[in-house]
Amino acid sequence: MKTKSLLKRNYNHQPLVDYPDYKSSLLRAPKQEKIFFPSTSSEISGPVFNRDIIGKNDNDLTVNFSKNNKSPIGHKILVYGTLKDQYSNPIEGALIEIWQANAAGKYLHPNDKTLTPIDPNFAGCGRCITQSDGTYDFFTIQPGPYPYPNRGVEWRPMHIHFSVFGKSFGQRLITQMYFEGDPLIKLCPMVNSIPDQKGINGLIGKLDTSKASSQNILAYKFDIILRGSNQTYFENRKEGL
Amino acid sequence: MDNSKEIFQETSFQTAGPFLHIGCMPNSIGIKGIYSHDIGIRPFEGTNDNLITIQGSVYDGNEEALDDVLLETWQSDKDGKYSSDRGFARFAPDKITKQFKLTTVKPGLVKNFDGSIQSPHILLSLSSRGLNMTLNTRIYFEDDDLTNDPLMALIRKRKNNIDSLIAKKINKTNYIFNIFLQGKNETVFLDI
Ligand SMILES: [Fe+3]
């Protein structure tokens, strides 16, 4: 009988949850150590979403909230990449959801109390399901950086939030993509909560100018790697599946 | 298993931030017309019999109930079977009451790959501002036999706060499950 187990997560590459430089973590980061146990069928299984939930413009944030064919303010970008597991197997059919601020750095959200203007033609919300080769793409607007209260007022680097489903609930990933060359990246405590530079570099979308002249668009390539799984063999038991 | 393959580094997490509803549940904050409906509203579409509700709050270190967290659950059906097209729910606490409410079917006994049996349980994940990574835990039920569940046994042995994983029954179909991020009642979180 065959069984699967997710590769144990390596926390050397993951942000510290208890990270006082990020003030919001002070009252929220648990203090006890997490309990590890080998994957069961509960963690290996997971929700998979049908392609028919995806609307035609769900992955094009430059049109999915526009009124009377008006474009949002800002410059249009393409964000694309491949979703793979740790063994480089492409993951097809996986739901990726994104959210972001508008070009001025304002979120269309009741809790964004900054006085920065909203853009009536931009919601900052998009999703897609990866293709058979694991690729995905989003058309959107370059998000602006924005101030937030931390150690005094600090500024977030430009970023896009990503939520990714694999095939297992234990593969679930929520992260942010940053933009190559942004000087605010190295000042950001949320970024610096990741202890290794390779982990940080993995979150930086790489500028791709190959479409800059032919299609008039700047592109950023952001590949995403979810946990892989091992397959091992068990002796068959009478009560086995 | 192909052991010859190089193992790459998993992409690092970052906080979901305070505005996660825009991407994960836009209709709930009034962003209408992009997605016909938010995903995970009903974990078992079309099932109306034998539903239970689980209600609770997520408390921070000041014992303040939070309303800006995203909760996601994953579970088997009543017979302990997982199916990729049902069993997932996504919800957030109510802005006024600060309570979340999950209406779902009671999961069944889950058979492991090795033949061992897990007591009925629901996987729960928690993402929000202030959490650099998603947190994971499980919901068990106080009216079930938990003596032989492998994870319960492990937690009992380590003398962790086992009660934090067990939903309290208040009547036939209603349970309470509160989550404490810090403090003397801190919930047991899992490295799944
Ligand atoms: Fe943000």
Side-chain angles (χ1 to χ4, degrees):
Chain A
M1 163 192 168
K2 207 157 66 169
T3 184
K4 271 170 91 177
S5 187
L6 289 163
L7 291 176
K8 188 168 175 3
R9 182 163 270 146
N10 185 341
Y11 287 92
N12 295 329
H13 312 310
Q14 293 297 345
L16 297 165
V17 174
D18 198 2
Y19 193 75
D21 284 357
Y22 175 27
K23 294 296 171 205
S24 293
S25 77
L26 289 175
L27 287 172
R28 297 192 176 194
K31 302 295 182 189
Q32 309 297 316
E33 210 183 316
K34 289 191 281 286
I35 306 280
F36 170 78
F37 63 101
S39 311
T40 70
S41 45
S42 308
E43 291 78 28
I44 293 286
S45 56
V48 176
F49 300 92
N50 203 310
R51 267 178 214 286
D52 67 16
I53 68 165
I54 306 292
K56 178 165 123 312
N57 294 325
D58 282 8
N59 74 329
D60 189 342
L61 290 72
T62 69
V63 300
N64 71 14
F65 203 64
S66 66
K67 316 284 185 296
N68 307 315
N69 290 321
K70 288 211 179 77
S71 294
I73 298 208
H75 71 268
K76 188 172 168 177
I77 58 171
L78 165 67
V79 175
Y80 74 99
T82 304
L83 180 67
K84 292 179 182 173
D85 72 13
Q86 287 177 280
Y87 293 106
S88 278
N89 303 308
I91 303 175
E92 83 154 301
L95 178 66
I96 301 182
E97 301 162 299
I98 65 169
W99 63 101
Q100 64 167 89
N102 69 20
K106 173 82 171 182
Y107 284 95
L108 187 61
H109 192 288
N111 292 349
D112 186 342
K113 310 282 193 205
T114 57
L115 298 175
T116 311
I118 63 161
D119 182 332
N121 297 304
F122 190 74
C125 146
R127 65 183 177 182
C128 70
I129 286 182
T130 56
Q131 302 298 319
S132 57
D133 57 358
T135 57
Y136 74 88
D137 53 18
F138 289 102
F139 290 94
T140 187
I141 293 295
Q142 174 77 49
Y146 59 83
Y148 72 107
N150 193 40
R151 303 165 290 197
V153 173
E154 294 189 44
W155 281 72
R156 293 296 333 274
M158 300 176 285
H159 62 276
I160 298 177
H161 295 267
F162 275 71
S163 152
V164 186
F165 289 84
K167 302 288 167 170
S168 302
F169 197 69
Q171 284 181 305
R172 191 94 177 75
L173 173 74
I174 293 184
T175 189
Q176 301 179 30
M177 184 201 94
Y178 301 98
F179 291 84
E180 182 179 358
D182 186 342
L184 293 170
I185 294 172
K186 66 175 189 302
L187 304 177
C188 178
M190 297 177 211
V191 172
N192 292 327
S193 69
I194 300 171
D196 81 320
Q197 190 57 43
K198 198 174 160 205
I200 294 173
N201 292 346
L203 299 183
I204 301 176
K206 300 291 177 292
L207 178 66
D208 165 7
T209 55
S210 65
K211 296 173 181 67
S213 59
S214 63
Q215 292 170 51
N216 256 332
I217 191 164
L218 284 178
Y220 287 87
K221 185 173 193 296
F222 179 50
D223 293 330
I224 302 167
I225 300 173
L226 301 185
R227 288 167 80 191
S229 52
N230 272 327
Q231 292 211 326
T232 47
Y233 290 87
F234 266 91
E235 200 183 313
N236 256 322
R237 294 185 180 205
K238 264 206 195 89
E239 71 275 30
L241 296 175
Chain B
M1 172 172 60
D2 183 358
N3 280 317
S4 62
K5 274 189 160 178
E6 186 183 348
I7 299 177
F8 290 86
Q9 186 169 320
E10 183 192 17
T11 298
S12 303
F13 276 73
Q14 289 280 264
T15 181
F19 309 122
L20 50 89
H21 315 85
I22 297 173
C24 298
M25 35 201 318
N27 287 286
S28 78
I29 54 161
I31 299 178
K32 309 274 185 189
I34 302 183
Y35 306 156
S36 61
H37 57 87
D38 295 338
I39 62 169
I41 301 283
R42 298 195 58 188
F44 293 88
E45 193 70 58
T47 307
N48 294 310
D49 296 337
N50 300 316
L51 295 178
I52 58 165
T53 68
I54 303 168
Q55 288 181 80
S57 292
V58 182
Y59 295 95
D60 71 8
N62 279 346
E63 297 207 18
E64 206 145 326
L66 306 178
D67 64 12
D68 62 354
V69 292
L70 177 75
L71 297 106
E72 291 181 339
T73 55
W74 174 241
Q75 65 169 95
S76 73
D77 65 13
K78 65 178 175 35
D79 301 316
K81 297 273 180 295
Y82 284 99
S83 173
S84 59
D85 59 357
R86 59 199 159 82
F88 172 74
R90 179 183 258 181
F91 45 97
D94 182 87
K95 292 282 165 217
I96 314 249
T97 65
K98 316 284 185 199
Q99 280 215 319
F100 62 81
K101 181 176 172 184
L102 168 65
T103 301
T104 187
V105 306
K106 176 95 185 290
L109 294 166
V110 172
K111 193 179 266 186
N112 278 336
F113 301 118
D114 64 0
S116 63
I117 304 287
Q118 302 187 74
S119 301
H121 64 276
I122 296 176
L123 271 57
L124 172 71
S125 83
L126 204 68
S127 305
S128 82
R129 171 176 76 83
L131 291 176
N132 283 324
M133 278 189 88
T134 297
L135 302 177
N136 287 286
T137 187
R138 281 189 180 194
I139 304 172
Y140 285 86
F141 300 88
E142 75 168 344
D143 51 334
D144 286 325
D145 179 0
L146 304 177
T147 45
N148 293 319
D149 180 86
L151 177 64
M152 284 278 116
L154 175 68
I155 292 172
R156 215 173 281 121
K157 204 166 82 194
R158 295 181 49 153
K159 300 193 180 11
N160 293 97
N161 181 10
I162 197 164
D163 288 344
S164 70
L165 301 182
I166 303 171
K168 302 281 168 293
K169 191 167 189 172
I170 49 173
N171 60 41
K172 205 160 166 268
T173 56
N174 290 272
Y175 294 85
I176 296 283
F177 187 81
N178 289 314
I179 299 157
F180 295 89
L181 297 178
Q182 297 180 348
K184 64 180 193 309
N185 296 319
E186 186 178 308
T187 297
V188 173
F189 293 103
L190 304 170
D191 179 8
I192 69 168

